[in-house]
Amino acid sequence: MNKFWVVALETYKKQVKSVSFVMMILAPLLFLGISAGSGYVGSQFNKLNEIAVVSDMPEVSAAFTEQNKKEFDIVKDIKTEAEAEKALEDEKIEGYLTIKVSDGTLTGDYVGTKTLGMENSQKILQNLSQIQLGLTSASLSLSQEEVGKLMSPAKFSEKQVEVKDGKITETKDNKPVMMVVGMVVIFMMYFIVLLYSSITAQEVASEKGTRIMEVILSSTTASKHFYGKITGISLVILTQVGVYLVTGLLGYFFVKDMDFVKSFFEEIPASELLKGLLGYNLLYLLFGVLIYTILAAFLGSLVSKAEDSAKAAAPITYLTMIGFIGGVVVGMNNPESIIIKVMSFVPFLSSFGMPIRIANNSVSNMEVLISLGILIISIVVLLRLSAKAYKSTVLIYSDKSMMNVFKDAMKFSK
């Protein structure tokens, strides 16, 4: 057992000290920072400094100015299009909006030295539409109450119930929370597996390529060495996830007072999010990452050189993409699809399919336990099969295909 932990800890220390691990830790954080920074910089570039608003109906331009006094810096002294054009030529303003009314239809034309951008265009269109509504209601002699009734949407509500002992009882609907958690699990599965599949395959294959295994196997067994490698890589994955969790918690304390963060957690309480993540979804995440890690190590044991590890990890990439696309595209549109139902019981795909069904509350606890049971049994079987194959292939240096190497390993292990 001591030799097993020596291998596991050496693998762990080798990976966490590498430059690639540091880059994997920093890359998502840098991506988020750059995205947020570019969004802020872009909004500053698209921000309008001074514009003029003119109209052939002064009450229309006055209404627009009142509605947008906080959104845009509007110069109120300019009243005509000619004055606005002269101010633009003298670079006193960045642009001007001309609002015309013809046959009860309102038209806005903007002329400026730089583009408005999508956000500003939408704001202007929305406010012009509100003014148009006011003009239309006035021409039809509609009161404010009548306009409100005309614009009021239909009401719709949904209530979730369960039938037990012939009685219908209402259950608490936390579908939005579970759907967010389900998406988090799927995305974490996808990125973790893609990141570590090639690393795991390379870690197992690299020592075969250097012939150092002949020395290592003189002091420990092939099985212990294989299990130690998988344990070490799993500890590296847990370390990275732990770093993100700690970073996320620290980041939350910095942004918790922001309006959009408050509004998000008003809709989806943090306690409900945590509860959803710590249930079945966490088990699917852990077991899902584990089975892919074992598969990557198994495929890595079938190649003889570290440079072939990418080829060994290719099947995992395809399998992960199938699960991810099925979970996100099919699952989000139709959680009750037969594709999602089948995926939720297939070992390598259940971690992508079952969280969606759990979020939709369309699966019983018994089905979840059966799915988890199949996943755990598959992990044990794959682990034993991989160790068996590794024991037979660890000293085989061949240019044969992975399938032929696997067949030879099974023959040698009998």
Side-chain angles (χ1 to χ4, degrees), residues 228-271:
K229 286 286 184 184
I230 292 178
T231 302
I233 294 294
S234 299
L235 291 174
V236 175
I237 295 173
L238 290 175
T239 299
Q240 184 169 358
V241 174
V243 170
Y244 289 152
L245 288 176
V246 173
T247 304
L249 288 174
L250 293 176
Y252 169 74
F253 288 108
F254 283 101
V255 302
K256 64 179 181 178
D257 294 327
M258 293 184 178
D259 292 336
F260 76 93
V261 176
K262 288 181 178 180
S263 61
F264 175 81
F265 284 109
E266 284 176 1
E267 294 292 330
I268 303 177
S271 59

Side-chain angles (χ1 to χ4, degrees), residues 107-350:
T107 303
D109 295 306
Y110 179 79
V111 178
T113 56
K114 66 180 182 180
T115 180
L116 283 172
M118 181 64 70
E119 184 178 355
N120 289 328
S121 296
Q122 290 296 325
K123 288 177 182 177
I124 292 176
L125 179 59
Q126 182 180 1
N127 284 282
L128 290 178
S129 298
Q130 291 178 355
I131 297 173
Q132 175 73 71
L133 177 62
L135 293 175
T136 303
S137 61
S139 65
L140 296 175
S141 301
L142 297 177
S143 64
Q144 290 293 332
E145 184 179 353
E146 290 172 329
V147 173
K149 288 182 179 180
L150 184 64
M151 297 300 296
S152 61
K155 294 182 179 180
F156 173 77
S157 64
E158 181 182 4
K159 182 168 64 175
Q160 188 174 350
V161 299
E162 64 177 357
V163 180
K164 190 175 182 180
D165 298 330
K167 295 182 179 180
I168 298 177
T169 56
E170 184 176 353
T171 59
K172 185 178 180 182
D173 184 13
N174 60 346
K175 188 183 295 185
V177 177
M178 296 305 295
M179 190 60 72
V180 171
V181 172
M183 286 295 101
V184 169
V185 170
I186 290 176
F187 274 91
M188 287 183 69
M189 270 288 302
Y190 181 71
F191 287 111
I192 289 174
V193 171
L194 285 187
L195 280 172
Y196 283 96
S197 57
S198 59
I199 292 175
T200 305
Q202 184 176 14
E203 181 66 30
V204 174
S206 60
E207 291 176 348
K208 290 180 63 178
T210 59
R211 304 293 178 101
I212 198 174
M213 285 305 301
E214 297 173 5
V215 178
I216 294 176
L217 292 183
S218 63
S219 58
T220 186
T221 64
S223 297
K224 282 185 179 181
H225 185 263
F226 181 77
Y227 294 147
K229 286 286 184 184
I230 292 178
T231 302
I233 294 294
S234 299
L235 291 174
V236 175
I237 295 173
L238 290 175
T239 299
Q240 184 169 358
V241 174
V243 170
Y244 289 152
L245 288 176
V246 173
T247 304
L249 288 174
L250 293 176
Y252 169 74
F253 288 108
F254 283 101
V255 302
K256 64 179 181 178
D257 294 327
M258 293 184 178
D259 292 336
F260 76 93
V261 176
K262 288 181 178 180
S263 61
F264 175 81
F265 284 109
E266 284 176 1
E267 294 292 330
I268 303 177
S271 59
E272 292 293 326
L273 272 177
L274 190 61
K275 189 187 300 182
L277 186 59
L278 294 179
Y280 287 130
N281 286 304
L282 180 61
L283 294 178
Y284 276 105
L285 176 61
L286 295 176
F287 289 140
V289 170
L290 180 59
I291 195 171
Y292 275 103
T293 302
I294 296 171
L295 179 61
F298 167 65
L299 295 175
S301 69
L302 300 181
V303 297
S304 302
K305 296 178 290 185
E307 51 266 31
D308 292 334
S309 59
K311 179 175 64 176
I316 298 176
T317 302
Y318 300 140
L319 194 58
T320 307
M321 290 180 66
I322 292 172
F324 179 77
I325 293 173
V328 174
V329 178
V330 180
M332 289 296 291
N333 291 326
N334 184 13
E336 287 299 296
S337 168
I338 186 64
I339 296 175
I340 298 298
K341 289 182 178 180
V342 173
M343 281 178 56
S344 63
F345 291 99
V346 177
F348 289 100
L349 302 177
S350 58

